[in-house]
Protein backbone atom coordinates (compact mmCIF):
# COMPACT_ATOMS: atom_id res chain seq x y z
CA UNK A 1 0.00 0.00 0.00
CA UNK A 2 1.37 3.45 -0.90
CA UNK A 3 1.66 6.31 1.60
CA UNK A 4 -1.10 8.06 -0.32
CA UNK A 5 -3.48 5.09 -0.04
CA UNK A 6 -2.70 4.64 3.64
CA UNK A 7 -3.30 8.27 4.54
CA UNK A 8 -6.44 8.42 2.40
CA UNK A 9 -7.86 5.50 4.38
CA UNK A 10 -6.92 7.26 7.61
CA UNK A 11 -8.79 10.40 6.52
CA UNK A 12 -11.87 8.35 5.69
CA UNK A 13 -11.71 6.61 9.06
CA UNK A 14 -11.30 9.95 10.84
CA UNK A 15 -14.45 11.26 9.15
CA UNK A 16 -16.40 8.20 10.25
CA UNK A 17 -15.19 8.45 13.84
CA UNK A 18 -16.11 12.13 13.88
CA UNK A 19 -19.71 11.07 13.68
CA UNK A 20 -20.29 12.04 10.08
CA UNK A 21 -22.08 8.81 9.28
CA UNK A 22 -20.45 8.54 5.89
CA UNK A 23 -19.91 5.73 3.44
CA UNK A 24 -17.74 6.00 0.36
CA UNK A 25 -19.64 8.22 -2.06
CA UNK A 26 -18.30 6.17 -4.96
CA UNK A 27 -20.44 3.28 -3.68
CA UNK A 28 -23.65 5.26 -3.43
CA UNK A 29 -26.29 4.97 -6.17
CA UNK A 30 -26.08 7.66 -8.82
CA UNK A 31 -27.68 10.88 -7.64
CA UNK A 32 -27.46 10.01 -3.93
CA UNK A 33 -25.16 12.17 -1.82
CA UNK A 34 -23.48 11.16 1.40
CA UNK A 35 -24.57 12.71 4.66
CA UNK A 36 -22.82 15.99 5.50
CA UNK A 37 -19.67 15.92 7.59
CA UNK A 38 -18.68 18.36 10.30
CA UNK A 39 -17.04 21.62 9.26
CA UNK A 40 -13.37 22.21 9.89
CA UNK A 41 -9.92 21.94 8.38
CA UNK A 42 -9.30 19.12 5.93
CA UNK A 43 -5.76 17.80 5.52
CA UNK A 44 -5.04 16.23 2.16
CA UNK A 45 -3.11 12.94 2.08
CA UNK A 46 0.64 13.02 1.68
CA UNK A 47 1.45 12.74 -2.02
CA UNK A 48 -1.63 14.65 -3.16
CA UNK A 49 -0.82 16.41 -6.42
CA UNK A 50 -1.12 20.19 -6.61
CA UNK A 51 -0.37 21.63 -10.00
CA UNK A 52 -1.04 23.81 -12.98
CA UNK A 53 -1.44 22.86 -16.62
CA UNK A 54 -0.46 24.07 -20.07
CA UNK A 55 -0.95 22.68 -23.58
CA UNK A 56 1.65 22.62 -26.33
CA UNK A 57 -0.07 24.61 -29.05
CA UNK A 58 -1.46 27.14 -26.60
CA UNK A 59 1.88 28.12 -25.05
CA UNK A 60 4.85 26.90 -27.12
CA UNK A 61 4.59 29.18 -30.14
CA UNK A 62 5.36 28.76 -33.86
CA UNK A 63 3.77 25.33 -34.05
CA UNK A 64 3.69 25.60 -37.82
CA UNK A 65 3.16 21.93 -38.68
CA UNK A 66 -0.10 21.57 -36.76
CA UNK A 67 -3.65 21.51 -38.08
CA UNK A 68 -4.54 24.40 -35.76
CA UNK A 69 -1.81 26.62 -37.23
CA UNK A 70 -3.22 26.13 -40.70
CA UNK A 71 -6.79 26.81 -39.61
CA UNK A 72 -5.71 29.98 -37.81
CA UNK A 73 -3.88 31.42 -40.79
CA UNK A 74 -6.12 30.70 -43.77
CA UNK A 75 -9.17 32.61 -44.98
CA UNK A 76 -11.90 32.13 -44.05
CA UNK A 77 -11.20 31.17 -40.45
CA UNK A 78 -13.26 30.94 -37.28
CA UNK A 79 -10.21 31.87 -35.16
CA UNK A 80 -10.05 35.39 -33.76
CA UNK A 81 -6.30 35.58 -34.39
CA UNK A 82 -3.30 33.28 -35.02
CA UNK A 83 -1.28 31.81 -32.16
CA UNK A 84 2.07 33.14 -33.41
CA UNK A 85 4.76 33.03 -30.73
CA UNK A 86 2.17 32.20 -28.06
CA UNK A 87 3.99 32.33 -24.68
CA UNK A 88 7.29 31.18 -26.18
CA UNK A 89 7.18 28.27 -23.74
CA UNK A 90 9.15 26.06 -26.14
CA UNK A 91 12.13 28.29 -25.37
CA UNK A 92 11.21 29.37 -21.82
CA UNK A 93 10.03 26.05 -20.39
CA UNK A 94 12.80 25.87 -17.78
CA UNK A 95 11.81 29.27 -16.38
CA UNK A 96 8.15 28.26 -16.28
CA UNK A 97 8.84 24.95 -14.55
CA UNK A 98 11.04 26.64 -11.95
CA UNK A 99 8.21 29.09 -11.31
CA UNK A 100 5.72 26.25 -10.74
CA UNK A 101 8.01 24.82 -8.07
CA UNK A 102 8.70 28.22 -6.50
CA UNK A 103 4.97 28.80 -6.09
CA UNK A 104 4.79 25.68 -3.92
CA UNK A 105 3.13 23.32 -6.39
CA UNK A 106 4.39 19.79 -6.94
CA UNK A 107 2.97 18.89 -10.37
CA UNK A 108 3.23 20.22 -13.91
CA UNK A 109 0.82 19.03 -16.59
CA UNK A 110 1.87 19.59 -20.20
CA UNK A 111 1.45 18.01 -23.60
CA UNK A 112 3.89 16.60 -26.10
CA UNK A 113 3.10 18.21 -29.45
CA UNK A 114 2.52 15.46 -32.01
CA UNK A 115 3.16 17.77 -34.97
CA UNK A 116 6.66 18.53 -33.68
CA UNK A 117 7.53 14.90 -32.94
CA UNK A 118 6.15 13.58 -36.25
CA UNK A 119 6.08 16.53 -38.67
CA UNK A 120 5.58 14.17 -41.63
CA UNK A 121 3.89 10.79 -41.72
CA UNK A 122 6.36 8.24 -40.34
CA UNK A 123 9.22 10.74 -39.95
CA UNK A 124 10.03 11.31 -36.27
CA UNK A 125 12.14 14.20 -35.00
CA UNK A 126 14.83 13.14 -32.55
CA UNK A 127 15.44 16.82 -31.81
CA UNK A 128 11.80 17.31 -30.72
CA UNK A 129 11.93 14.21 -28.56
CA UNK A 130 15.15 15.50 -27.00
CA UNK A 131 13.41 18.78 -26.23
CA UNK A 132 10.61 17.04 -24.34
CA UNK A 133 13.21 15.00 -22.48
CA UNK A 134 14.70 18.33 -21.38
CA UNK A 135 11.24 19.39 -20.16
CA UNK A 136 10.89 16.20 -18.16
CA UNK A 137 14.40 16.56 -16.74
CA UNK A 138 13.53 20.10 -15.64
CA UNK A 139 10.52 18.70 -13.78
CA UNK A 140 12.78 16.15 -12.09
CA UNK A 141 15.29 18.87 -11.17
CA UNK A 142 12.56 20.84 -9.39
CA UNK A 143 10.95 17.75 -7.83
CA UNK A 144 7.75 18.17 -9.83
CA UNK A 145 5.62 15.23 -10.89
CA UNK A 146 4.99 15.55 -14.64
CA UNK A 147 1.58 14.60 -15.98
CA UNK A 148 2.01 14.27 -19.74
CA UNK A 149 -0.71 14.37 -22.40
CA UNK A 150 0.14 12.64 -25.66
CA UNK A 151 -2.41 14.82 -27.44
CA UNK A 152 -4.05 18.11 -26.46
CA UNK A 153 -6.42 18.81 -29.39
CA UNK A 154 -3.94 19.76 -32.13
CA UNK A 155 -2.58 17.17 -34.57
CA UNK A 156 -0.09 17.20 -37.46
CA UNK A 157 -1.33 18.84 -40.66
CA UNK A 158 -0.66 15.67 -42.64
CA UNK A 159 -2.87 13.71 -40.23
CA UNK A 160 -5.76 16.17 -40.56
CA UNK A 161 -5.36 16.11 -44.35
CA UNK A 162 -5.82 12.31 -44.28
CA UNK A 163 -9.16 12.81 -42.55
CA UNK A 164 -7.94 13.22 -38.99
CA UNK A 165 -9.88 11.18 -36.45
CA UNK A 166 -12.42 10.37 -39.16
CA UNK A 167 -9.77 8.42 -41.09
CA UNK A 168 -9.75 4.64 -40.99
CA UNK A 169 -6.05 4.52 -40.11
CA UNK A 170 -6.24 7.05 -37.26
CA UNK A 171 -6.06 4.53 -34.38
CA UNK A 172 -2.94 2.85 -35.79
CA UNK A 173 -1.20 6.16 -36.50
CA UNK A 174 -1.91 7.54 -33.03
CA UNK A 175 -0.82 4.33 -31.30
CA UNK A 176 2.41 4.35 -33.33
CA UNK A 177 3.14 7.92 -32.21
CA UNK A 178 2.33 7.16 -28.54
CA UNK A 179 4.59 4.11 -28.61
CA UNK A 180 7.44 6.17 -30.08
CA UNK A 181 7.10 8.84 -27.38
CA UNK A 182 6.95 6.19 -24.65
CA UNK A 183 10.05 4.45 -25.99
CA UNK A 184 11.96 7.74 -26.01
CA UNK A 185 10.67 9.33 -22.80
CA UNK A 186 8.91 6.67 -20.78
CA UNK A 187 11.70 6.33 -18.23
CA UNK A 188 10.86 9.87 -17.06
CA UNK A 189 7.06 9.53 -17.17
CA UNK A 190 4.68 7.82 -14.75
CA UNK A 191 1.35 9.65 -15.19
CA UNK A 192 0.09 10.20 -18.72
CA UNK A 193 -3.14 10.77 -20.59
CA UNK A 194 -3.84 9.92 -24.20
CA UNK A 195 -6.27 12.70 -25.10
CA UNK A 196 -7.31 15.96 -23.51
CA UNK A 197 -11.10 15.84 -23.02
CA UNK A 198 -11.96 14.17 -26.34
CA UNK A 199 -15.66 14.40 -25.48
CA UNK A 200 -15.65 18.22 -25.36
CA UNK A 201 -17.43 18.67 -28.67
CA UNK A 202 -20.20 16.28 -27.61
CA UNK A 203 -20.51 18.09 -24.28
CA UNK A 204 -20.83 21.47 -25.99
CA UNK A 205 -22.75 20.59 -29.13
CA UNK A 206 -24.20 17.08 -28.80
CA UNK A 207 -27.25 18.02 -26.74
CA UNK A 208 -29.60 20.86 -27.69
CA UNK A 209 -28.59 24.15 -26.12
CA UNK A 210 -27.37 27.71 -26.63
CA UNK A 211 -24.07 26.65 -28.31
CA UNK A 212 -25.62 24.60 -31.12
CA UNK A 213 -25.23 27.47 -33.60
CA UNK A 214 -21.43 27.36 -33.34
CA UNK A 215 -20.94 23.79 -34.59
CA UNK A 216 -20.96 23.01 -38.29
CA UNK A 217 -21.89 26.55 -39.33
CA UNK A 218 -21.21 27.79 -42.89
CA UNK A 219 -18.01 29.61 -41.95
CA UNK A 220 -16.59 26.50 -40.28
CA UNK A 221 -17.43 24.40 -43.33
CA UNK A 222 -15.80 26.95 -45.62
CA UNK A 223 -12.68 26.97 -43.41
CA UNK A 224 -12.39 23.19 -43.59
CA UNK A 225 -12.95 23.22 -47.36
CA UNK A 226 -10.18 25.78 -47.80
CA UNK A 227 -7.84 23.77 -45.55
CA UNK A 228 -8.49 20.72 -47.71
CA UNK A 229 -7.54 22.71 -50.82
CA UNK A 230 -4.36 24.07 -49.23
CA UNK A 231 -3.39 20.59 -48.03
CA UNK A 232 -3.83 19.16 -51.51
CA UNK A 233 -6.05 16.27 -50.42
CA UNK A 234 -9.44 17.93 -50.67
CA UNK A 235 -10.28 16.85 -47.12
CA UNK A 236 -9.45 18.13 -43.65
CA UNK A 237 -10.81 17.11 -40.27
CA UNK A 238 -9.40 18.50 -37.07
CA UNK A 239 -10.15 18.57 -33.36
CA UNK A 240 -13.89 19.42 -33.20
CA UNK A 241 -14.12 20.61 -36.80
CA UNK A 242 -15.76 17.82 -38.75
CA UNK A 243 -18.28 15.02 -38.33
CA UNK A 244 -18.54 14.78 -34.54
CA UNK A 245 -19.88 11.21 -34.55
CA UNK A 246 -17.05 9.96 -36.77
CA UNK A 247 -14.46 11.91 -34.78
CA UNK A 248 -15.71 10.37 -31.54
CA UNK A 249 -15.67 6.85 -32.97
CA UNK A 250 -12.13 7.37 -34.25
CA UNK A 251 -10.88 8.71 -30.94
CA UNK A 252 -12.51 5.94 -28.92
CA UNK A 253 -10.71 3.37 -31.08
CA UNK A 254 -7.49 5.41 -30.97
CA UNK A 255 -7.52 5.59 -27.18
CA UNK A 256 -7.92 1.81 -26.92
CA UNK A 257 -5.05 1.23 -29.35
CA UNK A 258 -2.78 3.80 -27.67
CA UNK A 259 -3.55 2.55 -24.15
CA UNK A 260 -2.46 -0.93 -25.17
CA UNK A 261 0.57 0.28 -27.14
CA UNK A 262 1.86 2.42 -24.25
CA UNK A 263 1.51 -0.46 -21.81
CA UNK A 264 3.36 -2.80 -24.16
CA UNK A 265 6.32 -0.43 -24.03
CA UNK A 266 6.03 0.36 -20.32
CA UNK A 267 3.59 -1.86 -18.42
CA UNK A 268 3.86 0.22 -15.23
CA UNK A 269 2.79 3.47 -16.91
CA UNK A 270 -0.38 4.99 -15.49
CA UNK A 271 -2.43 5.94 -18.53
CA UNK A 272 -5.48 8.04 -17.85
CA UNK A 273 -8.41 9.47 -19.72
CA UNK A 274 -9.48 13.08 -19.18
CA UNK A 275 -13.17 13.86 -19.59
CA UNK A 276 -14.79 17.27 -19.94
CA UNK A 277 -17.70 17.51 -17.53
CA UNK A 278 -20.23 19.98 -16.22
CA UNK A 279 -22.18 19.80 -13.00
CA UNK A 280 -25.44 18.74 -14.64
CA UNK A 281 -28.47 19.97 -12.73
CA UNK A 282 -32.09 19.30 -13.61
CA UNK A 283 -34.04 22.50 -14.21
CA UNK A 284 -37.23 20.97 -15.54
CA UNK A 285 -35.57 17.91 -17.05
CA UNK A 286 -36.99 14.46 -16.41
CA UNK A 287 -34.79 11.61 -15.22
CA UNK A 288 -34.83 10.23 -18.77
CA UNK A 289 -33.67 13.57 -20.18
CA UNK A 290 -30.84 13.77 -17.66
CA UNK A 291 -29.73 10.24 -18.56
CA UNK A 292 -29.84 11.08 -22.26
CA UNK A 293 -27.81 14.27 -21.75
CA UNK A 294 -25.15 12.41 -19.76
CA UNK A 295 -25.01 9.53 -22.19
CA UNK A 296 -24.39 11.92 -25.08
CA UNK A 297 -21.83 14.02 -23.20
CA UNK A 298 -19.90 11.37 -21.27
CA UNK A 299 -21.35 7.89 -21.70
CA UNK A 300 -18.97 6.24 -24.20
CA UNK A 301 -15.88 7.65 -22.48
CA UNK A 302 -16.87 6.72 -18.94
CA UNK A 303 -17.66 3.21 -20.17
CA UNK A 304 -14.28 2.97 -21.91
CA UNK A 305 -12.49 4.20 -18.80
CA UNK A 306 -13.63 1.12 -16.90
CA UNK A 307 -11.54 -1.15 -19.14
CA UNK A 308 -8.97 1.18 -20.70
CA UNK A 309 -7.85 3.73 -18.11
CA UNK A 310 -5.75 3.60 -14.98
CA UNK A 311 -7.33 6.82 -13.74
CA UNK A 312 -9.84 9.44 -14.86
CA UNK A 313 -9.10 13.15 -15.12
CA UNK A 314 -12.17 15.28 -14.42
CA UNK A 315 -12.17 18.65 -16.19
CA UNK A 316 -14.94 20.99 -15.11
CA UNK A 317 -15.54 24.73 -15.14
CA UNK A 318 -19.24 25.38 -14.53
CA UNK A 319 -22.67 23.83 -14.16
CA UNK A 320 -25.20 22.96 -16.87
CA UNK A 321 -28.87 23.55 -16.16
CA UNK A 322 -30.92 21.05 -18.14
CA UNK A 323 -34.46 21.99 -19.06
CA UNK A 324 -37.26 19.80 -20.39
CA UNK A 325 -35.54 19.22 -23.73
CA UNK A 326 -32.42 21.42 -23.88
CA UNK A 327 -29.59 22.93 -21.89
CA UNK A 328 -30.58 26.35 -20.62
CA UNK A 329 -28.51 29.54 -20.72
CA UNK A 330 -27.24 30.96 -17.41
CA UNK A 331 -30.05 32.29 -15.23
CA UNK A 332 -30.88 35.99 -15.36
CA UNK A 333 -28.54 37.98 -13.16
CA UNK A 334 -25.98 35.19 -12.81
CA UNK A 335 -22.31 36.10 -12.43
CA UNK A 336 -20.53 35.30 -15.68
CA UNK A 337 -16.88 34.64 -16.47
CA UNK A 338 -15.17 36.24 -19.44
CA UNK A 339 -16.08 33.13 -21.43
CA UNK A 340 -19.74 34.07 -20.81
CA UNK A 341 -20.58 30.98 -18.84
CA UNK A 342 -21.74 31.01 -15.24
CA UNK A 343 -19.29 31.62 -12.39
CA UNK A 344 -19.96 28.42 -10.47
CA UNK A 345 -16.92 27.02 -8.65
CA UNK A 346 -19.13 24.51 -6.83
CA UNK A 347 -19.36 22.61 -10.13
CA UNK A 348 -16.20 20.56 -9.62
CA UNK A 349 -17.69 18.90 -6.55
CA UNK A 350 -20.79 17.82 -8.46
CA UNK A 351 -18.72 16.57 -11.39
CA UNK A 352 -16.43 14.53 -9.13
CA UNK A 353 -19.39 12.96 -7.34
CA UNK A 354 -20.98 11.97 -10.64
CA UNK A 355 -17.71 10.56 -12.02
CA UNK A 356 -17.20 8.55 -8.82
CA UNK A 357 -20.68 7.07 -9.20
CA UNK A 358 -19.84 5.86 -12.71
CA UNK A 359 -16.24 4.64 -12.65
CA UNK A 360 -14.21 2.70 -10.12
CA UNK A 361 -10.94 4.47 -10.81
CA UNK A 362 -8.81 7.03 -9.00
CA UNK A 363 -9.82 10.57 -9.97
CA UNK A 364 -7.71 13.65 -10.58
CA UNK A 365 -8.96 17.16 -11.24
CA UNK A 366 -6.89 17.76 -14.37
CA UNK A 367 -8.47 21.10 -15.30
CA UNK A 368 -10.48 23.65 -13.31
CA UNK A 369 -10.46 27.43 -13.46
CA UNK A 370 -12.02 30.57 -14.90
CA UNK A 371 -11.31 33.29 -17.44
CA UNK A 372 -11.31 36.66 -15.71
CA UNK A 373 -9.42 39.94 -15.73
CA UNK A 374 -10.15 40.36 -12.00
CA UNK A 375 -7.90 37.97 -10.11
CA UNK A 376 -9.99 38.34 -6.96
CA UNK A 377 -12.63 36.26 -8.73
CA UNK A 378 -10.05 33.56 -9.48
CA UNK A 379 -8.99 33.50 -5.83
CA UNK A 380 -12.61 33.04 -4.76
CA UNK A 381 -13.07 30.34 -7.38
CA UNK A 382 -10.03 28.40 -6.17
CA UNK A 383 -11.09 28.52 -2.52
CA UNK A 384 -14.58 27.24 -3.25
CA UNK A 385 -13.47 24.63 -5.79
CA UNK A 386 -10.72 23.16 -3.61
CA UNK A 387 -13.13 23.09 -0.70
CA UNK A 388 -15.46 21.02 -2.86
CA UNK A 389 -12.63 18.60 -3.66
CA UNK A 390 -11.97 18.25 0.08
CA UNK A 391 -15.63 17.49 0.79
CA UNK A 392 -15.58 14.77 -1.86
CA UNK A 393 -12.50 13.21 -0.30
CA UNK A 394 -13.97 13.49 3.19
CA UNK A 395 -16.90 11.48 1.85
CA UNK A 396 -14.57 8.71 0.68
CA UNK A 397 -14.13 9.63 -2.99
CA UNK A 398 -10.65 8.74 -4.24
CA UNK A 399 -9.36 12.08 -5.58
CA UNK A 400 -5.59 12.27 -5.93
CA UNK A 401 -4.81 15.70 -7.29
CA UNK A 402 -5.99 19.20 -8.20
CA UNK A 403 -4.42 20.75 -11.30
CA UNK A 404 -5.51 24.26 -12.17
CA UNK A 405 -6.08 25.54 -15.69
CA UNK A 406 -3.98 27.26 -16.57
CA UNK A 407 -0.49 28.19 -15.50
CA UNK A 408 -0.18 31.01 -18.06
CA UNK A 409 -2.48 33.44 -19.80
CA UNK A 410 -2.31 31.73 -23.18
CA UNK A 411 -3.84 31.22 -26.61
CA UNK A 412 -7.43 30.16 -26.10
CA UNK A 413 -8.11 28.56 -29.50
CA UNK A 414 -10.94 30.24 -31.43
CA UNK A 415 -11.05 33.07 -28.88
CA UNK A 416 -7.42 34.06 -29.39
CA UNK A 417 -5.63 35.85 -26.57
CA UNK A 418 -8.70 37.55 -25.09
CA UNK A 419 -9.68 35.17 -22.26
CA UNK A 420 -7.25 35.12 -19.34
CA UNK A 421 -7.24 31.77 -17.53
CA UNK A 422 -3.71 32.00 -16.13
CA UNK A 423 -2.35 32.01 -12.61
CA UNK A 424 0.49 33.94 -14.24
CA UNK A 425 0.16 36.89 -16.60
CA UNK A 426 2.32 37.07 -19.72
CA UNK A 427 3.44 40.23 -21.46
CA UNK A 428 3.33 39.01 -25.05
CA UNK A 429 5.78 41.68 -26.24
CA UNK A 430 8.50 40.88 -23.71
CA UNK A 431 7.30 37.39 -22.62
CA UNK A 432 7.76 38.49 -19.00
CA UNK A 433 5.86 36.33 -16.51
CA UNK A 434 4.16 37.82 -13.44
CA UNK A 435 2.47 35.52 -10.90
CA UNK A 436 -0.93 36.74 -9.78
CA UNK A 437 -2.24 36.66 -6.19
CA UNK A 438 -4.26 33.56 -7.16
CA UNK A 439 -1.01 31.73 -7.94
CA UNK A 440 0.28 32.50 -4.47
CA UNK A 441 -3.03 31.43 -2.95
CA UNK A 442 -2.95 28.04 -4.65
CA UNK A 443 0.70 27.66 -3.70
CA UNK A 444 -0.11 28.40 -0.06
CA UNK A 445 -2.88 25.78 -0.04
CA UNK A 446 -0.48 23.31 -1.63
CA UNK A 447 2.29 23.97 0.91
CA UNK A 448 -0.13 23.58 3.79
CA UNK A 449 -1.75 20.60 2.04
CA UNK A 450 -4.94 21.59 3.83
CA UNK A 451 -7.97 23.84 3.54
CA UNK A 452 -10.89 24.90 5.73
CA UNK A 453 -14.13 23.33 4.53
CA UNK A 454 -17.76 23.97 5.31
CA UNK A 455 -20.92 22.02 4.60
CA UNK A 456 -23.05 22.81 1.58
Amino acid sequence: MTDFDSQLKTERRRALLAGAGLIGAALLPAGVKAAPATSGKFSFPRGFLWGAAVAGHQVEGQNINSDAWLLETIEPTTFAEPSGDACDHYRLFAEDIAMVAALGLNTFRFSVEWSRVEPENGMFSEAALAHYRDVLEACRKHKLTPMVSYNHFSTPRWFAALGGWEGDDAPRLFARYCAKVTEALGDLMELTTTFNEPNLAKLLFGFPGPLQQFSGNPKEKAMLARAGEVSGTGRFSAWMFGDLDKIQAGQLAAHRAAFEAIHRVKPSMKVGLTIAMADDQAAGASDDTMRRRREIAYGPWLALAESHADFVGVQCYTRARIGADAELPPPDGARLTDMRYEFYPQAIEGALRYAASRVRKPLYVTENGIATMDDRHREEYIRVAVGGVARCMRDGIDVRGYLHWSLLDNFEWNFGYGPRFGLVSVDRKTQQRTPKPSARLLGTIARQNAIAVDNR
Side-chain angles (χ1 to χ4, degrees):
M1 182 182 296
T2 65
D3 288 343
F4 185 97
D5 293 327
S6 178
Q7 189 167 346
L8 187 59
K9 288 192 174 185
T10 300
E11 292 292 345
R12 291 170 178 167
R13 191 178 303 115
R14 186 178 300 152
L16 286 165
L17 294 175
L22 304 176
I23 63 173
L27 303 179
L28 292 172
V32 177
K33 292 188 177 181
T38 55
S39 298
K41 190 174 185 179
F42 179 86
S43 295
F44 292 84
R46 183 169 56 186
F48 190 83
L49 298 187
W50 297 100
V54 299
H57 189 79
Q58 292 178 267
V59 297
E60 288 181 346
Q62 296 299 323
N63 189 24
I64 61 174
N65 291 316
S66 76
D67 54 0
W69 182 275
L70 178 59
L71 295 176
E72 296 159 20
T73 54
I74 60 174
E75 287 292 341
T77 181
T78 61
F79 287 77
E81 58 186 318
S83 55
D85 287 331
C87 303
D88 200 14
H89 176 75
Y90 199 82
R91 182 174 64 92
L92 299 175
F93 70 89
E95 173 186 328
D96 291 338
I97 289 170
M99 180 171 54
V100 172
L103 287 171
L105 306 179
N106 61 21
T107 305
F108 181 54
R109 178 175 177 241
F110 70 95
S111 65
V112 173
E113 185 57 45
W114 186 2
S115 61
R116 294 186 188 274
V117 171
E118 191 179 4
E120 295 293 342
N121 190 352
M123 297 178 63
F124 292 92
S125 169
E126 295 300 327
L129 289 168
H131 166 80
Y132 290 111
R133 173 164 284 276
D134 289 343
V135 175
L136 289 162
E137 291 284 11
C139 290
R140 172 180 284 185
K141 174 183 176 182
H142 292 283
K143 297 180 171 57
L144 297 177
T145 296
M147 182 180 285
V148 183
S149 297
Y150 288 89
N151 177 255
H152 194 119
F153 294 150
S154 55
T155 66
R157 285 172 60 167
W158 61 262
F159 179 79
L162 291 176
W165 302 112
E166 299 181 48
D168 293 339
D169 210 20
R172 182 188 69 82
L173 294 171
F174 184 60
R176 180 183 69 181
Y177 154 71
C178 290
K180 182 71 173 180
V181 171
T182 309
E183 289 166 0
L185 307 176
D187 59 310
L188 296 175
M189 302 192 305
E190 296 296 334
L191 285 174
T192 64
T193 59
T194 51
F195 293 117
N196 178 71
E197 51 186 26
N199 68 310
L200 180 61
K202 285 289 189 176
L203 173 65
L204 296 178
F205 310 127
F207 187 79
L211 297 178
Q212 288 285 302
Q213 59 182 308
F214 297 110
S215 179
N217 60 48
K219 190 171 185 179
E220 178 184 307
K221 292 178 179 178
M223 176 181 68
L224 289 176
R226 178 58 181 156
E229 293 174 5
V230 171
S231 299
T233 63
R235 61 190 304 206
F236 204 87
S237 176
W239 185 25
M240 60 176 65
F241 302 112
D243 186 314
L244 298 187
D245 290 329
K246 290 181 179 179
I247 290 172
Q248 175 169 270
Q251 289 191 309
L252 286 165
H255 172 81
R256 290 190 200 95
F259 181 85
E260 293 166 1
I262 294 164
H263 277 132
R264 281 195 294 271
V265 176
K266 185 177 181 179
S268 65
M269 186 82 81
K270 300 299 183 185
V271 183
L273 185 58
T274 69
I275 300 177
M277 302 185 73
D279 180 8
D280 295 319
Q281 300 178 4
S286 65
D287 290 345
D288 285 344
T289 298
M290 291 297 289
R291 280 192 290 269
R292 181 166 63 90
R293 146 74 181 194
R294 286 168 164 164
E295 179 58 29
I296 290 171
Y298 326 118
W301 294 101
L302 288 169
L304 182 59
E306 276 293 302
S307 60
H308 284 75
D310 297 312
F311 65 89
V312 171
V314 174
Q315 309 201 167
C316 180
Y317 292 85
T318 190
R319 67 173 172 173
R321 298 166 61 248
I322 310 301
D325 55 8
E327 181 179 344
L328 304 176
D332 293 341
R335 287 174 67 183
L336 301 180
T337 73
D338 290 352
M339 291 289 284
R340 311 309 298 168
Y341 53 66
E342 187 177 1
F343 178 95
Y344 199 81
Q346 305 93 320
I348 189 62
E349 181 175 354
L352 284 168
R353 291 185 183 278
Y354 179 70
S357 75
R358 289 291 307 273
V359 293
R360 295 164 293 179
K361 302 286 181 178
L363 303 178
Y364 292 83
V365 177
T366 41
E367 284 189 19
N368 180 245
I370 60 164
T372 180
M373 297 293 288
D374 188 338
D375 197 57
R376 293 171 299 178
H377 297 165
R378 184 174 292 104
E379 291 182 280
E380 178 186 355
Y381 190 99
I382 289 171
R383 287 192 186 95
V384 175
V386 174
V389 174
R391 279 188 294 276
C392 287
M393 296 178 69
R394 194 174 58 183
D395 286 2
I397 297 176
D398 187 2
V399 186
R400 303 197 173 193
Y402 176 86
L403 281 64
H404 193 81
W405 181 267
S406 61
L407 175 64
L408 305 172
D409 285 336
N410 58 27
F411 180 72
E412 192 54 39
W413 306 107
N414 287 53
F415 300 94
Y417 289 99
R420 307 293 175 87
F421 278 92
L423 296 166
V424 176
S425 66
V426 179
D427 183 324
R428 293 191 54 242
K429 290 184 179 179
T430 65
Q431 297 295 352
Q432 181 176 343
R433 275 75 161 137
T434 305
K436 302 174 187 178
S438 58
R440 299 185 185 92
L441 169 66
L442 184 59
T444 297
I445 294 171
R447 284 193 176 97
Q448 295 176 348
N449 206 33
I451 192 169
V453 295
D454 58 8
N455 296 321
R456 295 182 184 275

